[in-house]
Amino acid sequence: MTIEELPVEIQCSILRLLDPVSLIAISQTNSHFRRLVDPQRRHFVERLLAQECAAENGGLHPIFRARDNLLSPAYSEDEWSDLRWACTGCMRLLHHRYFDNHMILRLRYRKPVPGSAILGAVSTWESDPRLSFSSIQKQKTKSPDDVTEETTLRRRYAVCVTSAPDRLSFRDVQECGMPGFQGLTTAQFNGMAPAAKQQLLDDNALDYELTRCGSKRHLRKCLECRYIAGQLKPRPDGSGGSLRVPMIASRAIWLGSTLDRCFPRIHAYLDAKKPAFNAKVHPVRDTTVRERLWSLFMFRCPGCTRWKEVRELGKDMYPAWRPLVNSELAKEYRSGYLEYMTESFADTLRCNACYAKANGRQKLVEMLLSRILSLIDNHIELVLWRMEGEWQMRCLETDTVPKQYLPELKRLQERHPGFEHGKNARRATDADIAGLKQRLELWKGIWHRMKLNGHTGWATVDLDEWSAEWARDVDECEITWKWLKACKAEVEAKPDLLADWALSENGTSVSNGAV
């Protein structure tokens, strides 16, 4: 006996136990099940949401820890290139660049966490559509007790993800009835180790996420669907671009320089090989920073109607520019060649491809050449400033250096003056770099005599360790400086490679996983 020969009531009972993917699959086997199942749009939405959770379709489930905004894997990791999210507007699985942050990171829009009951849920199909509609309405209708319980759970979750263990209030955990803390006295609570408190907070947060995470994915829409629906309007603070060219904040990723931000992967088009490290250039007084966090912005090019990152704008714009419209805040960003956004200005923006189509490839090359040369010069200044700044901070800008050494230090400064911002730094030569390194060696000699004479109490740091670290930084900065000079010479000699980079499908991608 085949399943089709069973009584219809039994067939319907079997169909109710199917997951969304299997339900649609069986409805497509023959006309009998097509008429019996008669799938509606919500059933196809359920299938799409189930497919985004399957490893072969949507990839793994990124884990977002709300208490410290830790994302695993990070945006810059290669795994993000294979991840897909469901858009229930156009009914497609799309890359994360087609969604804003809220649509993939807000609790109820995220992919369900592993272990969630949502992952194994059956479809909402019923043989009588009225029964299915009735069950949905019951879920939406909540009793006063349900509302009170939900309010308590939300309060509990807020405490879990916003309270540090050392600042956790005993009153807060008692008022929201947080499991693990019930029955404790104030003394017992205060005596708990911070790690034990944090573990209980994480466990309670996970319990809430197992039932709530991803519960509103059926409302998730991609940027294009929201644009068509008229939902992407400029905000009162001026952000958001214009109605015609919306600009939406996207991911934030760690990058080593402004050059990496505005010309990602350009080194792949150059013969000059990029160093395997990022020089420590921002900020000068933090000796450990090699990268900084950059916010990305997506804009909709009105020419090709595709969503792209602002680095692909066919406009010579300052890299620190932010998309602001008619805002008082925008005026703070205007200085010299730095333009701020107006609606009429935003409407003229085009991507590199559309810019080249309208103005010619040569115009695109000229615009990109001007942009990259400015960025290279600025980075050269930062690198040389780093080599100079540590010396100024530790050895000259202090009133505590023993007076008998000040004349010698000043003569050393006059003999090897270092660099200043602007043209002086851009004209630096190998001899200037050698002079800086010689000054370092001479400084080591002065410091050695200070130690012999016992004149070391003025130092606020271990200057032996600092000198060794500074020497390594100088070597890295010299390597980076030589690479930047080689890049500048190469793009000036072969500027057309910039157009090859800009018009390449993958050339302007920051990383495999990022936008």
Side-chain angles (χ1 to χ4, degrees):
M1 177 182 291
T2 65
I3 188 173
E4 296 176 48
E5 295 174 331
L6 293 172
V8 175
E9 292 80 0
I10 297 179
Q11 293 183 38
C12 291
S13 297
I14 295 174
L15 293 176
R16 292 189 190 97
L17 300 176
L18 296 179
D19 63 79
V21 176
S22 300
L23 180 72
I24 299 300
I26 198 171
S27 73
Q28 297 172 342
T29 56
N30 55 43
S31 57
H32 167 73
F33 284 114
R34 177 67 180 179
R35 288 191 301 269
L36 180 60
V37 176
D38 188 22
Q40 305 300 305
R41 190 180 192 278
R42 70 173 181 277
H43 300 130
F44 287 99
V45 169
E46 290 173 358
R47 179 182 68 166
L48 186 67
L49 296 178
Q51 288 175 329
E52 82 162 0
C53 296
E56 62 272 17
N57 296 320
L60 54 81
H61 295 223
I63 303 300
F64 181 73
R65 195 168 66 189
R67 66 176 169 87
D68 55 4
N69 293 332
L70 178 65
L71 186 64
S72 178
Y75 288 128
S76 56
E77 297 296 328
D78 293 343
E79 290 91 332
W80 275 78
S81 61
D82 299 323
L83 301 186
R84 296 295 181 270
W85 279 261
C87 170
T88 58
C90 56
M91 299 296 289
R92 293 184 296 168
L93 293 175
L94 301 172
H95 191 274
H96 73 87
R97 64 174 171 267
Y98 296 108
F99 300 91
D100 69 7
N101 291 321
H102 295 301
M103 286 294 167
I104 63 175
L105 292 182
R106 185 173 287 178
L107 177 64
R108 294 175 186 266
Y109 290 91
R110 294 181 216 156
K111 289 185 179 182
V113 296
S116 171
I118 298 177
L119 294 174
V122 297
S123 71
T124 60
W125 181 86
E126 284 289 348
S127 57
D128 186 344
R130 291 174 297 179
L131 295 176
S132 178
F133 178 78
S134 176
S135 65
I136 293 175
Q137 290 301 109
K138 287 181 180 179
Q139 292 176 7
K140 292 182 178 180
T141 304
K142 295 182 179 180
S143 66
D145 291 340
D146 292 335
V147 173
T148 301
E149 181 183 3
E150 181 63 23
T151 301
T152 301
L153 290 175
R154 290 187 180 186
R155 167 64 177 156
R156 182 185 301 171
Y157 183 70
V159 171
C160 291
V161 299
T162 60
S163 301
D166 55 341
R167 297 184 180 180
L168 185 62
S169 167
F170 182 65
R171 179 180 177 181
D172 287 341
V173 298
Q174 291 296 317
E175 287 181 349
C176 63
M178 189 176 297
F181 294 99
Q182 298 303 300
L184 296 179
T185 64
T186 304
Q188 290 173 327
F189 174 81
N190 293 333
M192 290 182 66
K197 291 181 181 179
Q198 188 63 71
Q199 186 60 51
L200 287 175
L201 291 175
D202 289 344
D203 291 344
N204 279 278
L206 179 60
D207 288 342
Y208 185 81
E209 291 175 354
L210 285 173
T211 57
R212 302 303 192 278
C213 187
S215 60
K216 288 189 176 181
R217 291 180 299 145
H218 60 284
L219 301 178
R220 189 197 294 135
K221 301 291 189 297
C222 67
L223 292 174
E224 183 66 14
C225 288
R226 295 178 64 198
Y227 172 78
I228 294 173
Q231 298 175 359
L232 300 181
K233 299 179 181 180
R235 297 185 178 91
D237 67 353
S239 62
S242 66
L243 286 174
R244 190 182 180 198
V245 186
M247 296 186 176
I248 308 299
S250 185
R251 306 328 143 227
I253 59 175
W254 291 94
L255 295 171
S257 68
T258 308
L259 191 61
D260 291 331
R261 170 66 177 90
C262 298
F263 284 85
R265 298 174 184 258
I266 188 63
H267 58 274
Y269 292 77
L270 300 172
D271 294 331
K273 299 305 178 184
K274 183 180 179 181
F277 53 83
N278 293 312
K280 303 174 185 177
V281 294
H282 36 233
V284 168
R285 291 187 182 274
D286 190 335
T287 60
T288 63
V289 173
R290 292 182 180 270
E291 295 178 329
R292 58 167 288 192
L293 199 62
W294 291 88
S295 293
L296 306 181
F297 293 88
M298 299 297 293
F299 80 102
R300 187 182 189 271
C301 174
C304 59
T305 68
R306 297 180 63 185
W307 286 88
K308 300 187 177 182
E309 212 278 323
V310 292
R311 65 178 170 275
E312 298 183 63
L313 277 171
K315 191 77 175 178
D316 192 8
M317 301 181 70
Y318 184 70
W321 163 86
R322 293 180 62 184
L324 300 168
V325 180
N326 299 330
S327 170
E328 289 298 320
L329 178 63
K331 296 179 182 179
E332 299 178 12
Y333 294 93
R334 184 168 187 170
S335 61
Y337 52 85
L338 176 56
E339 297 189 67
Y340 68 89
M341 192 68 65
T342 63
E343 188 166 358
S344 58
F345 178 73
D347 289 345
T348 65
L349 298 176
R350 297 293 185 275
C351 67
N352 287 328
C354 292
Y355 182 90
K357 186 176 180 180
N359 301 283
R361 183 182 174 96
Q362 185 57 35
K363 285 289 185 181
L364 176 65
V365 170
E366 293 174 3
M367 182 271 293
L368 292 174
L369 181 61
S370 173
R371 182 189 301 177
I372 195 171
L373 290 180
S374 175
L375 293 176
I376 290 176
D377 285 340
N378 289 340
H379 200 48
I380 286 176
E381 288 185 30
L382 285 175
V383 167
L384 296 179
W385 185 28
R386 174 67 182 186
M387 299 171 75
E388 172 72 9
E390 283 290 294
W391 160 265
Q392 296 284 353
M393 181 175 66
R394 298 296 182 197
C395 305
L396 295 182
E397 296 179 1
T398 177
D399 297 328
T400 57
V401 176
K403 293 183 179 180
Q404 61 266 40
Y405 298 100
L406 286 177
E408 188 175 3
L409 288 173
K410 290 190 177 297
R411 286 196 301 272
L412 188 58
Q413 173 70 5
E414 293 170 357
R415 182 178 177 183
H416 304 286
F419 308 101
E420 298 176 358
H421 283 298
K423 296 180 180 180
N424 183 26
R426 297 176 187 179
R427 291 198 299 261
T429 64
D430 291 332
D432 295 324
I433 303 298
L436 274 182
K437 300 177 80 170
Q438 183 181 4
R439 184 174 69 181
L440 172 61
E441 294 303 318
L442 293 173
W443 150 251
K444 288 181 179 179
I446 297 175
W447 172 243
H448 181 68
R449 281 189 281 112
M450 288 183 182
K451 290 193 295 183
L452 292 177
N453 296 329
H455 299 152
T456 60
W458 63 274
T460 58
V461 297
D462 184 343
L463 289 182
D464 286 318
E465 182 180 344
W466 170 77
S467 297
E469 182 67 20
W470 185 28
R472 289 190 292 269
D473 289 349
V474 167
D475 289 339
E476 289 185 353
C477 286
E478 181 182 11
I479 293 172
T480 302
W481 172 73
K482 289 181 178 180
W483 174 70
L484 289 170
K485 287 184 61 179
C487 289
K488 184 175 182 179
E490 189 170 349
V491 296
E492 287 178 329
K494 299 183 292 183
D496 202 56
L497 64 83
L498 297 174
D500 294 337
W501 167 85
L503 301 177
S504 170
E505 186 67 24
N506 298 316
T508 58
S509 175
V510 172
S511 70
N512 289 337
V515 175

